[in-house]
């Protein structure tokens, strides 16, 4: 099945109000910027987001946050997003803060069909005891607090019960993919992306390089040892993939410009690296994008 979609708008068109989203990225590395911008233009609101952080002012998920589209965030890091802090402290936004490793494992567990697991992280703190402010009232009091969690000893050490996370949709960014829905992630841009992709019932994935052949059969030939990969059978994908597209009659390393009369231009030398390294940069207005979709698999 060919899962390519011609635009980010088509890829996110049926994400409804109130949908839950798992979003990849760490800081500004590996963030699915094109999908987030398309969702902002689409207009869905009341979204419940699961992500390590919520972008920064004007970038990443910060775009949706500033527009008042996000109702709840499950994450591990507030960062330097002043609008995030303002909305949380004023009671406009519900926030569940989770230890970073626990958040990663909750996403992985949900994607693997594991309903819950025990971890020593958070034992003896409000993470286990409850009482963390999830939402504030307008007067500054706590309107909604976290509930206490079950604890149990294993080998003489206490552990707290955490639940796996699944979401209606996932927005992720990958290094390479194919039209069947296979993904390869690379370097720092991998971060939470494979985990978010697993947790989403339907996954929208931006891909820097889209190959005609099955990418999973080529992983050993062009993928470095540290590149995690995700076969299509592990992902319920409605695959979005922007960037480099190898097409008939075009040499590898050309990229697609949606709406462009010719469609293809030579790829800059630095393209393969630009979303992999935390300090690497690229214009937020970069128009590239090809998009891939597949039907969600029932749970």
């Amino acid at each position: 099945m060919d899962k390519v979609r011609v635009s980010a708008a088509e890829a996110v068109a049926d994400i409804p109000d109130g949908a839950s989203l798992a979003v990849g990225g760490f800081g500004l590395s590996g963030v699915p910027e094109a999908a987030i911008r398309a969702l902002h233009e689409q207009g869905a609101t009341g979204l419940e987001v699961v992500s390590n952080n919520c972008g920064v002012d004007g970038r990443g998920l910060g775009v949706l946050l500033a527009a008042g589209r996000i109702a709840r965030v499950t994450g591990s890091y507030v960062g330097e997003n002043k609008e995030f802090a303002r909305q949380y402290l004023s009671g406009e936004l519900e926030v569940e803060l989770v230890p970073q490793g626990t958040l990663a494992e909750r996403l992985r567990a949900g994607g693997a069909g594991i309903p819950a697991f025990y971890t020593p992280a958070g034992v003896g703190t409000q993470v286990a005891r409850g009482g963390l402010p999830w939402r504030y009232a307008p007067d500054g009091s706590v309107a909604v607090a976290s509930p206490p969690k079950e604890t149990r000893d294993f080998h003489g050490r206490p552990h707290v019960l955490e639940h796996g996370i699944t979401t209606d949709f996932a927005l992720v960014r990958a290094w390479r993919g194919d039209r069947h829905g296979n993904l390869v992630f690379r370097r720092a841009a991998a971060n939470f992306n494979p985990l978010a992709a697993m947790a989403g019932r339907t996954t929208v994935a931006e891909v820097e390089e889209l190959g005609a052949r099955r990418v999973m059969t080529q992983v050993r030939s062009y993928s470095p040892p540290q590149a995690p990969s995700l076969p299509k059978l592990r992902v319920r994908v409605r695959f979005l993939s922007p960037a480099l597209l190898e097409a008939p009659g075009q040499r590898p390393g050309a990229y697609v410009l949606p709406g462009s009369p010719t469609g293809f231009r030579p790829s800059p030398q630095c393209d393969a690296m630009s979303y992999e390294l935390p300090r690497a940069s690229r214009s937020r207005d970069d128009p590239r994008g090809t998009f891939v979709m597949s039907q969600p698999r029932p749970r």
Side-chain angles (χ1 to χ4, degrees), residues 68-85:
R69 306 285 180 77
I70 298 176
R72 191 179 196 276
V73 174
T74 300
S76 65
Y77 180 62
V78 175
E80 300 176 357
N81 192 323
K82 295 180 180 179
E83 180 61 16
F84 184 104

Side-chain angles (χ1 to χ4, degrees), residues 40-205:
H40 174 260
E41 295 171 0
Q42 186 253 45
T45 190
L47 301 170
E48 298 184 1
V49 171
V50 181
S51 185
N52 176 66
N53 58 290
C54 205
V56 298
D57 296 316
R59 294 291 302 277
L61 287 169
V63 174
L64 294 174
L65 188 70
R69 306 285 180 77
I70 298 176
R72 191 179 196 276
V73 174
T74 300
S76 65
Y77 180 62
V78 175
E80 300 176 357
N81 192 323
K82 295 180 180 179
E83 180 61 16
F84 184 104
R86 187 198 67 77
Q87 290 189 23
Y88 175 47
L89 295 175
S90 66
E92 300 172 30
L93 182 68
E94 185 170 305
V95 178
E96 179 184 357
L97 290 175
V98 182
Q100 193 168 77
T102 300
L103 179 63
E105 183 61 12
R106 288 180 66 185
L107 288 165
R108 189 203 67 82
I114 300 171
F117 60 91
Y118 285 94
T119 175
V123 170
T125 72
Q126 284 184 299
V127 170
R129 294 194 303 265
L132 285 171
W134 279 2
R135 181 185 290 275
Y136 285 99
D139 62 1
S141 62
V142 176
V144 180
S146 65
K149 296 176 180 177
E150 177 186 332
T151 57
R152 183 176 174 183
D153 284 358
F154 292 92
H155 306 292
R157 187 180 183 186
H159 291 68
V160 61
L161 182 68
E162 296 283 359
H163 292 266
I165 293 175
T166 57
T167 58
D168 300 324
F169 294 87
L171 307 181
V172 304
R173 184 173 189 90
W175 173 40
R176 282 178 169 167
D178 61 28
R179 296 176 179 274
H180 306 282
N182 300 304
L183 290 174
V184 177
F185 304 86
R186 195 182 190 203
R187 298 191 178 182
N191 53 66
F192 278 81
N193 279 299
L195 307 173
M198 290 174 63
R201 295 183 180 89
T202 297
T203 298
V204 177

Side-chain angles (χ1 to χ4, degrees), residues 221-286:
S221 65
Y222 64 55
S223 176
Q226 74 271 23
S229 57
L230 203 62
K232 65 176 181 177
L233 294 180
R234 296 289 298 278
V235 190
R236 287 65 59 189
V237 197
R238 167 189 292 160
F239 228 43
L240 157 153
S241 51
L244 307 176
L245 175 63
E246 296 178 18
Q250 302 291 336
R251 63 186 180 90
Y255 62 77
V256 174
L257 297 176
S260 168
T262 57
F264 293 87
R265 293 202 316 216
S267 170
Q269 291 293 323
C270 63
D271 262 5
M273 303 292 292
S274 56
Y275 278 106
E276 298 165 6
L277 305 177
R279 292 184 180 275
S281 63
R282 177 183 282 174
S283 168
R284 77 181 70 179
D285 300 318
D286 190 332

